[in-house]
Amino acid sequence: MFAFLILLLLVAAVAAVLMLQPLRQALLTKPVFRMYRKVLPQMSATERDALEAGTVWWEGELFRGRPDWNTLLSYPKPQLSEAEQRFLDHETAEACRMADDWDITQQRKDLSPELWTYLKTNGFLGMIIPKEYGGLGFSAYAHSEVIARLSTRSSALAVSVMVPNSLGPAELLLHYGTDAQKNHYLPRLANGTEVPAFALTSPWAGSDAAAIPDHGIVCRGQWQGQEVLGMRVSWDKRYITLAPVCTLLGLAFRLYDPDRLLGGETDLGITCALVPHDHPGVDTGRRHQPLGAMFMNGPTRGQDVFMPLEFIIGGPERAGQGWRMLMECLAAGRSISLPSSNSAMAKYTTRTVGAYARVRSQFRVPVGRFEGVEEALARIGGNTYLTEAARVMTAGAIDLGAKPSVVSAIVKYHVTERARQVVVDGMDVIGGKGICLGPSNFLGRAYQQAPIGITVEGANILTRSLIVFGQGAIRCHPYVLDEMRAAQDDDLQRGLEAFDKAFWGHVRFTLGNAARALGLAFTGARFAQAPGRAAPAMHTYYRRMTRYAASFALLADLCMLLLGGSLKRRERLSARLGDMLSQLYLASAVLKRYEDQGRQREDAPLAHWAMQDALHKLQEAANGVLDNLPQRGVAELLRVVLFPWGMPERAPRDVLGQKVAQLLIAPGAARDRLTEGCYLPDSIDEPVGALEQALAATLAAEPAEARLRDIEKRGALDGDPRANVRDMAEAAWAASLLSDDDYRLLRQRNVLRDRVVRVDDFPFDLGAQDAAGEHQARAA
């Protein structure tokens, strides 16, 4: 109550000042404006491009503290066109059928030539290229669905398709290329004549990509027998996907014009160019080995390579604009590629591990019914539901015209992290089966390669601690960016007027959020509005989300006020604030998914688990901010305001986790919806096909298994050496204690079970000689 009275007095005092604009500007705005100009560091062009890149979407609603849930629910559910669905059902399924991941990773170290040809001729490398250039012209959602399907078959297959359709030559050409460049390259990229790669990362500038030392010097030189104005470029890049096999290399470097041959600045800035792989001086072909994934990845180098200015994407007029081009295009690619592949990895794990946990028994009980295993299965199912919800909603945002740079960072970080947890839990469930690599190991490669998604397209530590809140606080806040622009205006009077408007809007915004956060916290959000069109079972989550959005907005504002520019250096605090915003977004996606899928009652445990887990993590992040805020008095006052009755959110209870786990170990509509999009071969010679058939056989044999257990309990098989877990059905049938039908069901179950639990073994040299001989035969 004391805090509430102080807040009312502050509101009254500020309101009195706000009514008198001249007095307001003279007494308050001008001193604050001067101080703001003094302490605000100058932004470089690259920093400004990064901050202003992309657009603000639903995350802006959350950052304002007053999300309009009807807006969320009004976003159309992403849908595939007939052509897109047909491509997914036929061409994509055929590409999966042609891919043998063990052969790719262990034998060929590459896709087969037949598969490469199939991908090129069927347009897989040109899904984002419009039809007028010969591409498929697919939506972002279709692009995401194709990548997800391929990812459940082979990471090398998925990445080989993913990269040409993500940030790279095709997308940069579409947005910034000259007409001549588009007309020449886009049809060739669409039909696979050109295989693209884009080289950005340097050994000396990884996360700090804007600091790349690769450079070009504008100069004159010989090109096709004539002296032309060009540039001499030197670079040393690494981690470049498809570089070893690319025919067209996209290249980012810093361009200098010391002799002012272009008539402008000497330091033009980062520039993007397209260079044929066989251009004199271009060095490609060597490979990295990214944790055995075997997608093409390697370095590229060049020293004083002369190329005409026409190689610059967009022509000479785009010299120095490369960083803005990259930042503007990054959001779309990062919103699709890694979320799609990692959500698919989670779905695949859910499908396979759930089946294995029902087929595999210990102590006469399916392992999926042990509480310890149920705990892992609950996390697998709940995290998969959430990651898939985030993937679909974000891809839908791209199709609505958004380029949400902050959201792309959120889904990149959290989908890859939760997918990694899913795979780790899956490995724990399948035990020894998972740690021995071989053709029948359905999860080992996913476990081995999970760190790749954590690392690429912005390392997760950097993304969480610097980008999500660091960029979100400026891009998503309704006033901060305007204040910064006003403070940096060279016209002081104009800047003061703009600052006055933004600053006092900010004050009203903060006080309003403070009042709402306090009221919602004291009432437990019981009177907050939930959208009438939403499922009644989910209304409590909408109310609680409204409360936490207001709490986040207030906490974020006060942290920026109290810590100022030092908040950027306090990465742990920034990361926790980013976690709050992220969990609000992820939980929003869960609510949207539940509605879009028709409020399926069977899916309710999954949605409840995901929501409770997200809100609990959000609360933990808020508590972490309050525990570590340097201004301890303010922190404790905020704790009273935001959590007057203690911390209300709890992790999902065991009984809910058990319901989620049981959905994973039995065929059903909920399991099918959760794992929709997985490639499911029907042959028992395939590990996933064997699992699917073994699960069906296990369920069919359960009544017969119960009768067999009864025979065992009666002691009818005592003394028979075959009365063991493997051979008991044989013994009971031979003793005429089991019917032919029961024996047939149990025998079929046993054959498939044994195939599923089998672990591959190899010759003493692990097949090295056979592989060498096969390689020599292919070479001959």
Side-chain angles (χ1 to χ4, degrees), residues 39 116 119 227-228 386 432 531 656 674 725 756:
V39 301
W116 270 116
L119 296 177
E227 183 180 272
V228 298
L386 182 144
L656 177 59
L674 182 61
V725 293
V756 164

Side-chain angles (χ1 to χ4, degrees), residues 276-508:
H277 78 291
D278 55 359
H279 185 77
V282 176
D283 181 5
T284 60
R286 295 185 64 81
R287 292 180 65 177
H288 303 309
Q289 289 195 45
L291 294 177
M294 292 307 157
F295 58 84
M296 287 292 171
N297 186 279
T300 175
R301 302 176 180 93
Q303 185 66 37
D304 292 330
V305 176
F306 182 79
M307 54 188 76
L309 293 178
E310 284 68 26
F311 279 18
I312 296 174
I313 298 176
E317 295 78 14
R318 290 283 184 180
Q321 298 183 28
W323 189 246
R324 174 172 288 275
M325 292 158 59
L326 291 172
M327 290 299 99
E328 288 177 350
C329 289
L330 180 63
R334 192 164 58 174
S335 295
I336 295 172
S337 297
L338 289 171
S340 300
S341 58
N342 281 263
S343 178
M345 184 167 65
K347 290 193 296 184
Y348 173 84
T349 303
T350 297
R351 186 88 186 189
T352 55
V353 172
Y356 188 88
R358 186 64 173 267
V359 171
R360 184 76 159 116
S361 293
Q362 294 287 277
F363 308 104
R364 315 288 194 187
V365 177
V367 298
R369 298 203 187 279
F370 288 95
E371 287 198 359
V373 174
E374 284 181 342
E375 185 177 6
L377 289 174
R379 287 195 299 270
I380 290 172
N383 281 324
T384 298
Y385 189 88
L386 182 144
T387 58
E388 182 69 355
R391 173 190 77 87
V392 172
M393 188 168 95
T394 306
I398 304 299
D399 284 328
L400 292 175
K403 293 183 178 180
S405 55
V406 177
V407 163
S408 74
I410 289 173
V411 293
K412 190 276 172 184
Y413 173 81
H414 287 278
V415 171
T416 57
E417 287 291 345
R418 286 185 182 249
R420 172 162 66 173
Q421 181 63 57
V422 166
V423 173
V424 169
D425 282 328
M427 287 289 284
D428 287 350
V429 171
I430 68 175
K433 169 72 176 180
I435 63 173
C436 295
L437 286 175
S440 67
N441 187 329
F442 54 86
L443 198 57
R445 289 299 189 192
Y447 179 82
Q448 185 179 20
Q449 296 160 17
I452 297 174
I454 303 299
T455 304
V456 301
E457 289 197 26
N460 275 11
I461 289 178
L462 167 80
T463 300
R464 175 175 177 260
S465 59
L466 290 178
I467 296 179
V468 174
F469 184 76
Q471 188 173 15
I474 298 173
R475 289 294 286 124
C476 301
H477 196 287
Y479 298 104
V480 168
L481 187 57
D482 289 341
E483 290 168 338
M484 293 175 66
R485 287 169 173 161
Q488 293 184 333
D489 197 324
D490 293 333
D491 187 323
L492 293 182
Q493 185 57 39
R494 183 176 61 194
L496 177 62
E497 291 294 331
F499 186 82
D500 180 76
K501 180 179 178 181
F503 177 73
W504 290 106
H506 192 161
V507 169
R508 288 189 294 269

